[in-house]
Amino acid sequence: MAHPAGQTRSILIINPNTTVSMTEGLKPLVDSLNYDKTKFTYFTAPSGVPSINNEDDAAVSANACLPTLKQKLNDYDAFLVCCYSQHPLVALVRAELVEVGLTGKAVTGILEASIATCLQSIDIDAKFGIVSTGAQWTEILAETVTELFGTTSSVRYAGTETTGLNADELHSTSKVEVDRKMKEATKQLLSFGNVQAICLGCAGMAGMDETVREACIEALGEEGGRRVKIVDGVISGVVHLEGALRSGL
């Protein structure tokens, strides 16, 4: 496909829920990476659900997005699905690309990308964990990690701790309350020991890494708290796709 002058790649950033403010919150994160040779376009679900709070919501959102996305397959080199789950759109978009013979394009989700970043960033005997939203994600994400690792007994995964706030509530609740709940979940995760990386388990947590960092320092002290890697799935996804496009994968 042709690219604008000076740009060599194009990536579609997909928010599979209908909340435009959540899509807008992703832009500063992506801009901070300074990939000036890549054009980023943002997509918000045209219908479906305002917040993806379980696997049923994910299925509804996939069905709402796919018809429109199928019309955009030729327009972009890569696609990033910004929902912190094993969102069905990842596999569906890949299948559609194969169906139309566009197998050179890359697709990933922010959960998969963030876990890959963790495993590449921590010691072999260390753990990573996830801070997520509603309590239902504890079990859902544990099952997802089990599927990704192919085992129920991995010592690399410390678990998922949740704030009790759904994705849309992260922005409708007072910052003081959100920060308190984020810190509580972070400190609980760190209590399992040797947790060297923490994933922000929701695209709606964009920009909340400093709150998690503060909790790490409060729990482990300045030096120990600074060592913990805080992984944003959107940033991980963009970096992953950039690497894939540059290497031709």
Side-chain angles (χ1 to χ4, degrees):
M1 62 174 288
H3 296 284
Q7 293 180 329
T8 60
R9 295 172 290 275
S10 60
I11 296 176
L12 183 64
I13 308 291
I14 301 166
N15 172 16
N17 70 45
T18 61
T19 303
V20 174
S21 61
M22 202 173 297
T23 309
E24 292 297 315
L26 304 179
K27 294 181 180 180
L29 280 180
V30 176
D31 289 346
S32 71
L33 296 171
N34 294 315
Y35 286 130
D36 56 356
K37 298 298 183 183
T38 302
K39 177 177 174 57
F40 295 98
T41 303
Y42 296 83
F43 173 91
T44 305
S47 61
V49 292
S51 175
I52 298 171
N53 300 320
N54 51 53
E55 291 168 304
D56 290 340
D57 286 349
V60 169
S61 71
N63 290 334
C65 292
L66 189 61
T68 305
L69 291 175
K70 286 167 68 172
Q71 301 172 30
K72 299 178 179 292
L73 299 180
N74 280 297
D75 298 339
Y76 304 96
D77 299 314
F79 303 83
L80 178 62
V81 179
C82 295
C83 173
Y84 207 89
S85 68
Q86 197 167 20
H87 198 283
L89 265 183
V90 176
L92 289 170
V93 172
R94 284 178 182 154
E96 291 294 335
L97 289 168
V98 170
E99 180 72 20
V100 298
L102 297 172
T103 55
K105 303 198 176 196
V107 186
T108 195
I110 60 175
L111 180 149
E112 296 92 332
S114 70
I115 291 176
T117 297
C118 286
L119 296 179
Q120 293 164 5
S121 305
I122 64 177
D123 297 335
I124 192 68
D125 61 344
K127 305 171 187 175
F128 76 92
I130 302 168
V131 172
S132 190
T133 49
Q136 67 275 15
W137 289 109
T138 300
E139 182 176 352
I140 294 170
L141 293 178
E143 291 174 355
T144 298
V145 172
T146 294
E147 291 178 12
L148 290 174
F149 282 24
T151 177
T152 59
S153 59
S154 174
V155 296
R156 307 298 302 281
Y157 175 56
T160 294
E161 294 295 327
T162 61
T163 63
L165 300 171
N166 291 330
D168 52 345
E169 292 174 329
L170 289 172
H171 300 278
S172 61
T173 304
S174 73
K175 184 179 186 303
V176 170
E177 183 66 3
V178 172
D179 286 354
R180 183 182 69 80
K181 289 180 176 292
M182 290 285 290
K183 286 186 175 185
E184 285 179 354
T186 299
K187 290 175 182 178
Q188 182 60 35
L189 200 57
L190 292 171
S191 72
F192 296 122
N194 202 23
V195 175
Q196 291 186 2
I198 296 175
C199 296
L200 301 179
C202 176
M205 290 179 177
M208 296 184 183
D209 51 307
E210 279 306 311
T211 301
V212 174
R213 175 69 67 207
E214 288 173 9
C216 291
I217 292 171
E218 289 172 11
L220 303 175
E222 184 74 26
E223 186 176 351
R226 292 284 177 196
R227 282 203 199 105
V228 178
K229 184 173 182 65
I230 299 169
V231 180
D232 184 281
V234 176
I235 289 177
S236 296
V238 171
V239 171
H240 170 83
L241 291 176
E242 276 282 328
L245 292 176
R246 291 184 187 192
S247 62
L249 295 178

